[in-house]
mmCIF file of all heavy atoms in Angstrom:
data_model
loop_
_atom_site.group_PDB
_atom_site.id
_atom_site.type_symbol
_atom_site.label_atom_id
_atom_site.label_comp_id
_atom_site.label_asym_id
_atom_site.label_seq_id
_atom_site.Cartn_x
_atom_site.Cartn_y
_atom_site.Cartn_z
ATOM 1 N N TYR A 66 -3.307 -9.404 -1.321
ATOM 2 C CA TYR A 66 -3.593 -10.852 -1.164
ATOM 3 C C TYR A 66 -5.060 -11.171 -1.493
ATOM 4 O O TYR A 66 -5.969 -10.414 -1.064
ATOM 5 C CB TYR A 66 -3.275 -11.323 0.254
ATOM 6 C CG TYR A 66 -3.541 -12.758 0.504
ATOM 7 C CD1 TYR A 66 -2.720 -13.712 0.002
ATOM 8 C CD2 TYR A 66 -4.659 -13.192 1.267
ATOM 9 C CE1 TYR A 66 -2.952 -15.050 0.204
ATOM 10 C CE2 TYR A 66 -4.922 -14.470 1.471
ATOM 11 C CZ TYR A 66 -4.022 -15.453 0.953
ATOM 12 O OH TYR A 66 -4.288 -16.761 1.181
ATOM 13 N N SER A 102 1.157 -0.011 -13.353
ATOM 14 C CA SER A 102 0.322 -0.062 -12.152
ATOM 15 C C SER A 102 1.194 0.097 -10.918
ATOM 16 O O SER A 102 2.395 -0.213 -10.883
ATOM 17 C CB SER A 102 -0.436 -1.391 -12.101
ATOM 18 O OG SER A 102 0.475 -2.481 -11.904
ATOM 19 N N ASP A 108 -11.820 -5.464 -3.509
ATOM 20 C CA ASP A 108 -13.050 -4.840 -2.982
ATOM 21 C C ASP A 108 -13.866 -5.890 -2.244
ATOM 22 O O ASP A 108 -13.438 -7.022 -2.035
ATOM 23 C CB ASP A 108 -13.813 -4.130 -4.126
ATOM 24 C CG ASP A 108 -14.530 -5.049 -5.057
ATOM 25 O OD1 ASP A 108 -14.496 -6.299 -4.837
ATOM 26 O OD2 ASP A 108 -15.130 -4.542 -6.053
ATOM 27 N N HIS A 118 -0.403 4.346 -13.072
ATOM 28 C CA HIS A 118 0.346 5.581 -13.267
ATOM 29 C C HIS A 118 0.144 6.098 -14.717
ATOM 30 O O HIS A 118 -0.173 7.275 -14.887
ATOM 31 C CB HIS A 118 1.819 5.310 -13.071
ATOM 32 C CG HIS A 118 2.247 5.379 -11.670
ATOM 33 N ND1 HIS A 118 3.580 5.248 -11.260
ATOM 34 C CD2 HIS A 118 1.582 5.649 -10.484
ATOM 35 C CE1 HIS A 118 3.674 5.341 -9.927
ATOM 36 N NE2 HIS A 118 2.452 5.589 -9.457
ATOM 37 N N ARG A 140 -13.267 16.954 -11.530
ATOM 38 C CA ARG A 140 -13.786 18.240 -12.053
ATOM 39 C C ARG A 140 -13.205 18.551 -13.420
ATOM 40 O O ARG A 140 -12.716 19.676 -13.689
ATOM 41 C CB ARG A 140 -13.446 19.384 -11.092
ATOM 42 C CG ARG A 140 -14.183 19.249 -9.738
ATOM 43 C CD ARG A 140 -13.861 20.313 -8.763
ATOM 44 N NE ARG A 140 -14.636 20.132 -7.545
ATOM 45 C CZ ARG A 140 -14.314 20.630 -6.341
ATOM 46 N NH1 ARG A 140 -13.179 21.311 -6.221
ATOM 47 N NH2 ARG A 140 -15.057 20.443 -5.301
ATOM 48 N N LYS A 142 -10.484 17.543 -14.905
ATOM 49 C CA LYS A 142 -9.010 17.535 -15.043
ATOM 50 C C LYS A 142 -8.523 16.136 -14.711
ATOM 51 O O LYS A 142 -8.992 15.472 -13.791
ATOM 52 C CB LYS A 142 -8.374 18.536 -14.158
ATOM 53 C CG LYS A 142 -8.746 19.986 -14.467
ATOM 54 C CD LYS A 142 -7.999 20.961 -13.579
ATOM 55 C CE LYS A 142 -7.980 22.348 -14.163
ATOM 56 N NZ LYS A 142 -9.302 22.941 -14.314
ATOM 57 N N LEU A 144 -6.442 13.062 -13.364
ATOM 58 C CA LEU A 144 -5.697 12.768 -12.106
ATOM 59 C C LEU A 144 -4.210 12.827 -12.391
ATOM 60 O O LEU A 144 -3.785 12.746 -13.550
ATOM 61 C CB LEU A 144 -6.087 11.398 -11.583
ATOM 62 C CG LEU A 144 -7.574 11.196 -11.254
ATOM 63 C CD1 LEU A 144 -7.836 9.767 -10.797
ATOM 64 C CD2 LEU A 144 -8.042 12.186 -10.197
ATOM 65 N N VAL A 151 -7.242 1.787 -0.946
ATOM 66 C CA VAL A 151 -7.774 0.905 0.104
ATOM 67 C C VAL A 151 -9.297 0.952 -0.062
ATOM 68 O O VAL A 151 -9.882 1.973 -0.405
ATOM 69 C CB VAL A 151 -7.311 1.309 1.502
ATOM 70 C CG1 VAL A 151 -7.812 2.713 1.890
ATOM 71 C CG2 VAL A 151 -7.688 0.278 2.523
ATOM 72 N N SER A 157 -16.645 2.023 -0.232
ATOM 73 C CA SER A 157 -15.977 3.224 -0.788
ATOM 74 C C SER A 157 -14.504 2.950 -1.012
ATOM 75 O O SER A 157 -13.880 2.125 -0.287
ATOM 76 C CB SER A 157 -16.169 4.427 0.147
ATOM 77 O OG SER A 157 -15.744 4.149 1.441
ATOM 78 N N PRO A 164 2.298 12.861 -7.892
ATOM 79 C CA PRO A 164 2.700 12.980 -9.294
ATOM 80 C C PRO A 164 3.795 12.031 -9.782
ATOM 81 O O PRO A 164 4.321 12.223 -10.901
ATOM 82 C CB PRO A 164 3.157 14.435 -9.417
ATOM 83 C CG PRO A 164 3.791 14.689 -8.082
ATOM 84 C CD PRO A 164 3.011 13.892 -7.052
ATOM 85 N N CYS A 183 -2.226 17.657 -4.879
ATOM 86 C CA CYS A 183 -2.117 16.208 -4.781
ATOM 87 C C CYS A 183 -3.066 15.774 -3.663
ATOM 88 O O CYS A 183 -2.754 15.920 -2.480
ATOM 89 C CB CYS A 183 -0.697 15.757 -4.469
ATOM 90 S SG CYS A 183 0.490 16.225 -5.767
ATOM 91 N N SER A 192 -22.367 5.520 -6.893
ATOM 92 C CA SER A 192 -22.799 6.737 -7.589
ATOM 93 C C SER A 192 -21.738 7.298 -8.542
ATOM 94 O O SER A 192 -22.053 8.126 -9.372
ATOM 95 C CB SER A 192 -23.131 7.819 -6.515
ATOM 96 O OG SER A 192 -21.914 8.216 -5.854
ATOM 97 N N ASN A 206 0.621 9.227 -0.135
ATOM 98 C CA ASN A 206 1.118 7.970 -0.697
ATOM 99 C C ASN A 206 0.355 6.754 -0.121
ATOM 100 O O ASN A 206 -0.756 6.508 -0.491
ATOM 101 C CB ASN A 206 2.642 7.908 -0.497
ATOM 102 C CG ASN A 206 3.324 7.042 -1.492
ATOM 103 O OD1 ASN A 206 2.883 5.937 -1.808
ATOM 104 N ND2 ASN A 206 4.448 7.501 -2.048
ATOM 105 N N PRO A 212 -8.427 -1.014 12.463
ATOM 106 C CA PRO A 212 -9.337 -2.195 12.342
ATOM 107 C C PRO A 212 -10.821 -1.761 12.490
ATOM 108 O O PRO A 212 -11.695 -2.365 11.828
ATOM 109 C CB PRO A 212 -8.894 -3.111 13.495
ATOM 110 C CG PRO A 212 -7.458 -2.810 13.654
ATOM 111 C CD PRO A 212 -7.322 -1.338 13.381
ATOM 112 N N VAL A 219 -2.467 8.087 6.557
ATOM 113 C CA VAL A 219 -1.984 8.385 5.188
ATOM 114 C C VAL A 219 -0.556 8.926 5.320
ATOM 115 O O VAL A 219 -0.268 9.807 6.139
ATOM 116 C CB VAL A 219 -2.878 9.528 4.527
ATOM 117 C CG1 VAL A 219 -2.459 9.707 3.077
ATOM 118 C CG2 VAL A 219 -4.322 9.214 4.641
ATOM 119 N N SER A 257 7.948 6.289 4.323
ATOM 120 C CA SER A 257 6.830 5.330 4.435
ATOM 121 C C SER A 257 6.038 5.398 3.162
ATOM 122 O O SER A 257 5.183 6.253 2.956
ATOM 123 C CB SER A 257 5.977 5.741 5.631
ATOM 124 O OG SER A 257 4.813 4.908 5.656
ATOM 125 N N ASN A 297 6.409 -1.547 0.022
ATOM 126 C CA ASN A 297 5.074 -1.661 0.504
ATOM 127 C C ASN A 297 4.920 -3.054 1.142
ATOM 128 O O ASN A 297 5.781 -3.918 0.938
ATOM 129 C CB ASN A 297 4.043 -1.486 -0.623
ATOM 130 C CG ASN A 297 2.765 -0.865 -0.154
ATOM 131 O OD1 ASN A 297 2.379 -1.030 1.005
ATOM 132 N ND2 ASN A 297 2.073 -0.176 -1.026
ATOM 133 N N SER A 315 13.077 -7.612 -4.884
ATOM 134 C CA SER A 315 12.538 -8.855 -4.406
ATOM 135 C C SER A 315 11.157 -8.790 -3.763
ATOM 136 O O SER A 315 10.811 -7.727 -3.228
ATOM 137 C CB SER A 315 13.557 -9.464 -3.430
ATOM 138 O OG SER A 315 14.749 -9.744 -4.083
#
Side-chain angles (χ1 to χ4, degrees):
Y66 179 74
S102 67
D108 76 2
H118 276 181
R140 293 180 179 156
K142 295 186 162 60
L144 300 177
V151 64
S157 56
C183 296
S192 67
N206 205 315
V219 187
S257 173
N297 213 332
S315 296

